[in-house]
Amino acid sequence: MKQGLSSQQKEADQDLNILALFTFLPLIGFLAFQEPIISFSRNPDHSLWMRLFVLALCQFSIAGLGASVILIYRKEGLQKYGLVGKEIFPTLLQTALFALPLLIFLMASGQVHSYLPFQSILLTKEVLASPFPINFLGYLFISLIWGFWEGFHYVLIAQKINLRYPQKEKGMWNLGAFVCTLICLLVHRMIGRDSLLLLQEATVFILIYGMLQVHRRTGNAWGCILIFFFLWNAF
C-alpha cells in the first residue's frame, strides 16, 4: 500500500510513527505512575524547582518531545508549521470566534471564578507566590511547556496527518484536526455520557478542530499557540 506514496507522504508516515511513539508511551508511563508523581509534586519538602521540573518533564514528554524530535531529525524550522507573521490578524480573530462556545459554556456552568493563564496547572500559584526572579522564571517555564509546546504539538500532528492523507484544502473536512481533537478529548478525559460533559466535549471539539482548521486555511498557527497561553488552563 505504501509503494504508491509520494516521498512527502512517506516522510510524513515515518514522522507520524515517531510522534505516536513519543506521545503514547510517555502518556502510558504517566498514567501508570500518576499518583506518586502528583504526590511528589505536592510535597513541599522537595524544592519547588525540582517538583516543577518533574511535572514539566511529564508534560513535555507527552506533548512536545515528539515534535522536538521531528524538528531536529528533519532539520525543520518553526516557520514551516505556521509560526509566521503573515495572516496573523485574521487568524487570531477566527480562532477567537471558535473559542467563544467554550468560554460561554464555562461561564454559564459556573466554572469561571477567576482568570489567570495556567492557573489550573498544579504549581502555578506556588510559583507566582515565590520571590522574584523565581516567580518570573518559573511562570515563563510553565508558559513554554504548557503553552507553546502543547499548542505546537497539535499543529505539527495535524499537519503531518494532512500531508500523509491529503484532502481538499478548501473543504470543511480536516482529518488532522479531527484526530487531534479526539486526542485532546481522550488525554484530558473529557469523554463521557453526562449531559453537561457532552456539552463541554462539543465546545472543546469546536475549539480544537476550529483552530486547526483556521491554521490550515491561513497558514498561520499563532491562534493555536495562543489558545494554550490564554484560554486553556486559565479558569
Side-chain angles (χ1 to χ4, degrees):
M1 183 178 178
K2 293 185 179 182
Q3 291 180 351
L5 298 180
S6 66
S7 58
Q8 189 180 53
Q9 285 177 301
K10 290 178 180 178
E11 182 179 294
D13 193 71
Q14 294 173 355
D15 292 345
L16 286 172
N17 289 332
I18 294 171
L19 286 165
L21 179 68
F22 283 100
T23 298
F24 292 108
L25 282 183
L27 177 60
I28 292 169
F30 174 74
L31 292 175
F33 298 98
Q34 183 175 8
E35 189 173 335
I37 290 171
I38 298 301
S39 178
F40 175 85
S41 300
R42 292 182 184 276
N43 191 344
D45 293 336
H46 304 291
S47 73
L48 176 59
W49 276 110
M50 180 60 71
R51 290 182 284 135
L52 181 59
F53 178 78
V54 168
L55 208 58
L57 181 63
C58 294
Q59 167 68 17
F60 181 74
S61 298
I62 296 168
L65 179 60
S68 300
V69 170
I70 296 298
L71 290 175
I72 295 170
Y73 177 62
R74 297 295 181 193
K75 297 179 181 179
E76 295 174 336
L78 297 175
Q79 295 86 349
K80 182 178 179 179
Y81 296 94
L83 295 185
V84 293
K86 183 182 178 181
E87 297 290 332
I88 189 166
F89 292 113
T91 296
L92 296 181
L93 178 60
Q94 292 174 53
T95 304
L97 291 175
F98 282 111
L100 276 178
L102 177 59
L103 185 58
I104 292 170
F105 167 79
L106 292 174
M107 294 175 67
S109 59
Q111 297 184 50
V112 177
H113 304 290
S114 62
Y115 174 79
L116 175 68
F118 310 109
Q119 72 168 311
S120 66
I121 305 302
L122 182 60
L123 295 175
T124 297
K125 291 184 178 179
E126 187 174 348
V127 165
L128 290 175
S130 301
F132 184 84
I134 293 174
N135 53 4
F136 175 77
L137 294 175
Y139 198 55
L140 194 64
F141 183 56
I142 289 170
S143 302
L144 177 66
I145 300 299
W146 278 271
F148 177 82
W149 279 112
E150 184 165 2
F152 182 74
H153 191 68
Y154 287 117
V155 169
L156 191 141
I157 291 175
Q159 190 159 316
K160 290 296 182 181
I161 290 174
N162 290 334
L163 285 173
R164 173 61 180 84
Y165 304 99
Q167 312 118 58
K168 293 180 180 179
E169 289 192 12
K170 292 185 179 180
M172 288 297 295
W173 173 243
N174 185 330
L175 180 61
F178 180 76
V179 172
C180 285
T181 302
L182 293 182
I183 292 173
C184 179
L185 291 171
L186 288 169
V187 168
H188 293 281
R189 302 180 187 183
M190 294 182 181
I191 303 295
R193 297 181 180 179
D194 177 78
S195 58
L196 198 62
L197 186 56
L198 285 171
L199 190 56
Q200 184 176 15
E201 289 172 23
T203 59
V204 170
F205 188 96
I206 292 169
L207 170 64
I208 304 300
Y209 190 96
M211 73 178 194
L212 291 169
Q213 180 71 343
V214 170
H215 165 237
R216 188 184 182 195
R217 285 178 174 272
T218 66
N220 190 300
W222 280 112
C224 303
I225 305 298
L226 295 180
I227 282 293
F228 285 88
F229 268 89
F230 298 110
L231 180 63
W232 205 256
N233 296 314
F235 299 104

PDB file of all heavy atoms in Angstrom, residues 144-164:
ATOM      1  N   LEU A 144       6.120  28.116  28.584  1.00  0.00           N
ATOM      2  CA  LEU A 144       6.796  27.415  27.486  1.00  0.00           C
ATOM      3  C   LEU A 144       6.305  25.978  27.356  1.00  0.00           C
ATOM      4  O   LEU A 144       5.974  25.523  26.253  1.00  0.00           O
ATOM      5  CB  LEU A 144       8.309  27.433  27.722  1.00  0.00           C
ATOM      6  CG  LEU A 144       9.161  26.686  26.690  1.00  0.00           C
ATOM      7  CD1 LEU A 144       9.087  27.368  25.334  1.00  0.00           C
ATOM      8  CD2 LEU A 144      10.616  26.595  27.165  1.00  0.00           C
ATOM      9  N   ILE A 145       6.210  25.265  28.472  1.00  0.00           N
ATOM     10  CA  ILE A 145       5.866  23.833  28.436  1.00  0.00           C
ATOM     11  C   ILE A 145       4.374  23.627  28.212  1.00  0.00           C
ATOM     12  O   ILE A 145       3.972  22.859  27.325  1.00  0.00           O
ATOM     13  CB  ILE A 145       6.305  23.147  29.744  1.00  0.00           C
ATOM     14  CG1 ILE A 145       7.823  23.286  29.944  1.00  0.00           C
ATOM     15  CG2 ILE A 145       5.897  21.675  29.714  1.00  0.00           C
ATOM     16  CD1 ILE A 145       8.663  22.661  28.846  1.00  0.00           C
ATOM     17  N   TRP A 146       3.537  24.287  29.001  1.00  0.00           N
ATOM     18  CA  TRP A 146       2.087  24.065  28.914  1.00  0.00           C
ATOM     19  C   TRP A 146       1.410  24.999  27.900  1.00  0.00           C
ATOM     20  O   TRP A 146       0.262  24.757  27.541  1.00  0.00           O
ATOM     21  CB  TRP A 146       1.450  24.250  30.275  1.00  0.00           C
ATOM     22  CG  TRP A 146       1.558  23.048  31.144  1.00  0.00           C
ATOM     23  CD1 TRP A 146       0.693  21.989  31.226  1.00  0.00           C
ATOM     24  CD2 TRP A 146       2.600  22.774  32.103  1.00  0.00           C
ATOM     25  NE1 TRP A 146       1.142  21.066  32.150  1.00  0.00           N
ATOM     26  CE2 TRP A 146       2.309  21.524  32.708  1.00  0.00           C
ATOM     27  CE3 TRP A 146       3.753  23.454  32.509  1.00  0.00           C
ATOM     28  CZ2 TRP A 146       3.124  20.964  33.693  1.00  0.00           C
ATOM     29  CZ3 TRP A 146       4.558  22.885  33.478  1.00  0.00           C
ATOM     30  CH2 TRP A 146       4.240  21.656  34.060  1.00  0.00           C
ATOM     31  N   GLY A 147       2.110  26.020  27.458  1.00  0.00           N
ATOM     32  CA  GLY A 147       1.552  26.937  26.478  1.00  0.00           C
ATOM     33  C   GLY A 147       2.049  26.652  25.081  1.00  0.00           C
ATOM     34  O   GLY A 147       1.325  26.116  24.243  1.00  0.00           O
ATOM     35  N   PHE A 148       3.312  26.975  24.850  1.00  0.00           N
ATOM     36  CA  PHE A 148       3.853  26.841  23.498  1.00  0.00           C
ATOM     37  C   PHE A 148       3.881  25.401  23.007  1.00  0.00           C
ATOM     38  O   PHE A 148       3.354  25.092  21.938  1.00  0.00           O
ATOM     39  CB  PHE A 148       5.262  27.438  23.424  1.00  0.00           C
ATOM     40  CG  PHE A 148       5.883  27.263  22.064  1.00  0.00           C
ATOM     41  CD1 PHE A 148       5.578  28.147  21.045  1.00  0.00           C
ATOM     42  CD2 PHE A 148       6.744  26.207  21.799  1.00  0.00           C
ATOM     43  CE1 PHE A 148       6.126  27.972  19.774  1.00  0.00           C
ATOM     44  CE2 PHE A 148       7.290  26.027  20.537  1.00  0.00           C
ATOM     45  CZ  PHE A 148       6.986  26.920  19.530  1.00  0.00           C
ATOM     46  N   TRP A 149       4.500  24.511  23.770  1.00  0.00           N
ATOM     47  CA  TRP A 149       4.729  23.168  23.245  1.00  0.00           C
ATOM     48  C   TRP A 149       3.450  22.359  23.103  1.00  0.00           C
ATOM     49  O   TRP A 149       3.330  21.563  22.174  1.00  0.00           O
ATOM     50  CB  TRP A 149       5.751  22.414  24.096  1.00  0.00           C
ATOM     51  CG  TRP A 149       7.147  22.809  23.741  1.00  0.00           C
ATOM     52  CD1 TRP A 149       8.029  23.503  24.515  1.00  0.00           C
ATOM     53  CD2 TRP A 149       7.825  22.566  22.504  1.00  0.00           C
ATOM     54  NE1 TRP A 149       9.206  23.709  23.837  1.00  0.00           N
ATOM     55  CE2 TRP A 149       9.106  23.141  22.600  1.00  0.00           C
ATOM     56  CE3 TRP A 149       7.463  21.921  21.311  1.00  0.00           C
ATOM     57  CZ2 TRP A 149      10.031  23.088  21.562  1.00  0.00           C
ATOM     58  CZ3 TRP A 149       8.381  21.869  20.273  1.00  0.00           C
ATOM     59  CH2 TRP A 149       9.649  22.444  20.394  1.00  0.00           C
ATOM     60  N   GLU A 150       2.483  22.531  23.986  1.00  0.00           N
ATOM     61  CA  GLU A 150       1.239  21.776  23.823  1.00  0.00           C
ATOM     62  C   GLU A 150       0.482  22.255  22.582  1.00  0.00           C
ATOM     63  O   GLU A 150      -0.017  21.439  21.796  1.00  0.00           O
ATOM     64  CB  GLU A 150       0.346  21.884  25.055  1.00  0.00           C
ATOM     65  CG  GLU A 150      -0.899  21.005  24.917  1.00  0.00           C
ATOM     66  CD  GLU A 150      -1.649  20.784  26.214  1.00  0.00           C
ATOM     67  OE1 GLU A 150      -1.252  21.344  27.259  1.00  0.00           O
ATOM     68  OE2 GLU A 150      -2.650  20.041  26.181  1.00  0.00           O
ATOM     69  N   GLY A 151       0.422  23.562  22.390  1.00  0.00           N
ATOM     70  CA  GLY A 151      -0.249  24.084  21.202  1.00  0.00           C
ATOM     71  C   GLY A 151       0.460  23.673  19.932  1.00  0.00           C
ATOM     72  O   GLY A 151      -0.175  23.237  18.958  1.00  0.00           O
ATOM     73  N   PHE A 152       1.775  23.784  19.923  1.00  0.00           N
ATOM     74  CA  PHE A 152       2.546  23.436  18.726  1.00  0.00           C
ATOM     75  C   PHE A 152       2.474  21.941  18.417  1.00  0.00           C
ATOM     76  O   PHE A 152       2.501  21.539  17.252  1.00  0.00           O
ATOM     77  CB  PHE A 152       4.007  23.866  18.897  1.00  0.00           C
ATOM     78  CG  PHE A 152       4.853  23.597  17.688  1.00  0.00           C
ATOM     79  CD1 PHE A 152       4.715  24.382  16.559  1.00  0.00           C
ATOM     80  CD2 PHE A 152       5.769  22.563  17.678  1.00  0.00           C
ATOM     81  CE1 PHE A 152       5.490  24.126  15.420  1.00  0.00           C
ATOM     82  CE2 PHE A 152       6.539  22.296  16.554  1.00  0.00           C
ATOM     83  CZ  PHE A 152       6.401  23.090  15.423  1.00  0.00           C
ATOM     84  N   HIS A 153       2.371  21.138  19.454  1.00  0.00           N
ATOM     85  CA  HIS A 153       2.276  19.683  19.285  1.00  0.00           C
ATOM     86  C   HIS A 153       1.074  19.316  18.424  1.00  0.00           C
ATOM     87  O   HIS A 153       1.186  18.504  17.497  1.00  0.00           O
ATOM     88  CB  HIS A 153       2.160  19.025  20.668  1.00  0.00           C
ATOM     89  CG  HIS A 153       2.317  17.542  20.663  1.00  0.00           C
ATOM     90  ND1 HIS A 153       3.502  16.922  20.379  1.00  0.00           N
ATOM     91  CD2 HIS A 153       1.419  16.548  20.900  1.00  0.00           C
ATOM     92  CE1 HIS A 153       3.344  15.611  20.444  1.00  0.00           C
ATOM     93  NE2 HIS A 153       2.097  15.358  20.751  1.00  0.00           N
ATOM     94  N   TYR A 154      -0.063  19.936  18.697  1.00  0.00           N
ATOM     95  CA  TYR A 154      -1.271  19.674  17.900  1.00  0.00           C
ATOM     96  C   TYR A 154      -1.097  20.168  16.462  1.00  0.00           C
ATOM     97  O   TYR A 154      -1.551  19.517  15.515  1.00  0.00           O
ATOM     98  CB  TYR A 154      -2.487  20.333  18.542  1.00  0.00           C
ATOM     99  CG  TYR A 154      -2.962  19.651  19.798  1.00  0.00           C
ATOM    100  CD1 TYR A 154      -2.942  20.307  21.027  1.00  0.00           C
ATOM    101  CD2 TYR A 154      -3.429  18.341  19.761  1.00  0.00           C
ATOM    102  CE1 TYR A 154      -3.373  19.674  22.180  1.00  0.00           C
ATOM    103  CE2 TYR A 154      -3.861  17.709  20.913  1.00  0.00           C
ATOM    104  CZ  TYR A 154      -3.837  18.369  22.129  1.00  0.00           C
ATOM    105  OH  TYR A 154      -4.258  17.751  23.270  1.00  0.00           O
ATOM    106  N   VAL A 155      -0.469  21.316  16.306  1.00  0.00           N
ATOM    107  CA  VAL A 155      -0.242  21.870  14.961  1.00  0.00           C
ATOM    108  C   VAL A 155       0.586  20.910  14.123  1.00  0.00           C
ATOM    109  O   VAL A 155       0.242  20.609  12.970  1.00  0.00           O
ATOM    110  CB  VAL A 155       0.473  23.242  15.061  1.00  0.00           C
ATOM    111  CG1 VAL A 155       0.958  23.706  13.683  1.00  0.00           C
ATOM    112  CG2 VAL A 155      -0.458  24.283  15.669  1.00  0.00           C
ATOM    113  N   LEU A 156       1.663  20.410  14.698  1.00  0.00           N
ATOM    114  CA  LEU A 156       2.562  19.532  13.948  1.00  0.00           C
ATOM    115  C   LEU A 156       1.892  18.208  13.603  1.00  0.00           C
ATOM    116  O   LEU A 156       1.999  17.714  12.477  1.00  0.00           O
ATOM    117  CB  LEU A 156       3.851  19.301  14.748  1.00  0.00           C
ATOM    118  CG  LEU A 156       4.988  18.614  13.999  1.00  0.00           C
ATOM    119  CD1 LEU A 156       6.332  19.214  14.375  1.00  0.00           C
ATOM    120  CD2 LEU A 156       5.017  17.114  14.254  1.00  0.00           C
ATOM    121  N   ILE A 157       1.180  17.625  14.573  1.00  0.00           N
ATOM    122  CA  ILE A 157       0.495  16.354  14.324  1.00  0.00           C
ATOM    123  C   ILE A 157      -0.535  16.518  13.208  1.00  0.00           C
ATOM    124  O   ILE A 157      -0.591  15.703  12.279  1.00  0.00           O
ATOM    125  CB  ILE A 157      -0.190  15.829  15.600  1.00  0.00           C
ATOM    126  CG1 ILE A 157       0.852  15.393  16.632  1.00  0.00           C
ATOM    127  CG2 ILE A 157      -1.104  14.639  15.267  1.00  0.00           C
ATOM    128  CD1 ILE A 157       0.257  14.985  17.959  1.00  0.00           C
ATOM    129  N   ALA A 158      -1.339  17.571  13.286  1.00  0.00           N
ATOM    130  CA  ALA A 158      -2.380  17.795  12.279  1.00  0.00           C
ATOM    131  C   ALA A 158      -1.773  17.981  10.896  1.00  0.00           C
ATOM    132  O   ALA A 158      -2.275  17.428   9.904  1.00  0.00           O
ATOM    133  CB  ALA A 158      -3.215  19.013  12.660  1.00  0.00           C
ATOM    134  N   GLN A 159      -0.704  18.736  10.823  1.00  0.00           N
ATOM    135  CA  GLN A 159      -0.074  18.997   9.520  1.00  0.00           C
ATOM    136  C   GLN A 159       0.512  17.715   8.938  1.00  0.00           C
ATOM    137  O   GLN A 159       0.417  17.481   7.729  1.00  0.00           O
ATOM    138  CB  GLN A 159       1.006  20.073   9.674  1.00  0.00           C
ATOM    139  CG  GLN A 159       1.542  20.579   8.342  1.00  0.00           C
ATOM    140  CD  GLN A 159       2.203  21.940   8.466  1.00  0.00           C
ATOM    141  OE1 GLN A 159       1.675  22.848   9.124  1.00  0.00           O
ATOM    142  NE2 GLN A 159       3.352  22.102   7.836  1.00  0.00           N
ATOM    143  N   LYS A 160       1.126  16.883   9.777  1.00  0.00           N
ATOM    144  CA  LYS A 160       1.707  15.626   9.300  1.00  0.00           C
ATOM    145  C   LYS A 160       0.608  14.666   8.817  1.00  0.00           C
ATOM    146  O   LYS A 160       0.782  13.976   7.810  1.00  0.00           O
ATOM    147  CB  LYS A 160       2.528  14.971  10.406  1.00  0.00           C
ATOM    148  CG  LYS A 160       3.817  15.703  10.754  1.00  0.00           C
ATOM    149  CD  LYS A 160       4.791  15.730   9.595  1.00  0.00           C
ATOM    150  CE  LYS A 160       6.090  16.424   9.967  1.00  0.00           C
ATOM    151  NZ  LYS A 160       7.051  16.487   8.837  1.00  0.00           N
ATOM    152  N   ILE A 161      -0.505  14.614   9.532  1.00  0.00           N
ATOM    153  CA  ILE A 161      -1.619  13.747   9.123  1.00  0.00           C
ATOM    154  C   ILE A 161      -2.159  14.191   7.768  1.00  0.00           C
ATOM    155  O   ILE A 161      -2.425  13.366   6.886  1.00  0.00           O
ATOM    156  CB  ILE A 161      -2.733  13.750  10.184  1.00  0.00           C
ATOM    157  CG1 ILE A 161      -2.266  13.005  11.443  1.00  0.00           C
ATOM    158  CG2 ILE A 161      -4.017  13.092   9.632  1.00  0.00           C
ATOM    159  CD1 ILE A 161      -3.228  13.082  12.600  1.00  0.00           C
ATOM    160  N   ASN A 162      -2.300  15.489   7.589  1.00  0.00           N
ATOM    161  CA  ASN A 162      -2.836  16.004   6.333  1.00  0.00           C
ATOM    162  C   ASN A 162      -1.860  15.844   5.169  1.00  0.00           C
ATOM    163  O   ASN A 162      -2.285  15.756   4.014  1.00  0.00           O
ATOM    164  CB  ASN A 162      -3.247  17.468   6.494  1.00  0.00           C
ATOM    165  CG  ASN A 162      -4.474  17.631   7.373  1.00  0.00           C
ATOM    166  OD1 ASN A 162      -5.296  16.715   7.482  1.00  0.00           O
ATOM    167  ND2 ASN A 162      -4.610  18.778   8.011  1.00  0.00           N
ATOM    168  N   LEU A 163      -0.572  15.797   5.465  1.00  0.00           N
ATOM    169  CA  LEU A 163       0.413  15.506   4.426  1.00  0.00           C
ATOM    170  C   LEU A 163       0.361  14.036   4.037  1.00  0.00           C
ATOM    171  O   LEU A 163       0.495  13.680   2.864  1.00  0.00           O
ATOM    172  CB  LEU A 163       1.822  15.871   4.909  1.00  0.00           C
ATOM    173  CG  LEU A 163       2.186  17.355   4.950  1.00  0.00           C
ATOM    174  CD1 LEU A 163       3.542  17.560   5.612  1.00  0.00           C
ATOM    175  CD2 LEU A 163       2.193  17.955   3.547  1.00  0.00           C
ATOM    176  N   ARG A 164       0.157  13.197   5.042  1.00  0.00           N
ATOM    177  CA  ARG A 164       0.109  11.746   4.785  1.00  0.00           C
ATOM    178  C   ARG A 164      -1.181  11.340   4.082  1.00  0.00           C
ATOM    179  O   ARG A 164      -1.193  10.463   3.220  1.00  0.00           O
ATOM    180  CB  ARG A 164       0.248  10.989   6.121  1.00  0.00           C
ATOM    181  CG  ARG A 164       0.042   9.470   6.037  1.00  0.00           C
ATOM    182  CD  ARG A 164       1.049   8.821   5.117  1.00  0.00           C
ATOM    183  NE  ARG A 164       0.832   7.379   5.046  1.00  0.00           N
ATOM    184  CZ  ARG A 164      -0.048   6.784   4.247  1.00  0.00           C
ATOM    185  NH1 ARG A 164      -0.803   7.529   3.448  1.00  0.00           N
ATOM    186  NH2 ARG A 164      -0.183   5.480   4.249  1.00  0.00           N
TER     187      ARG A 164
END
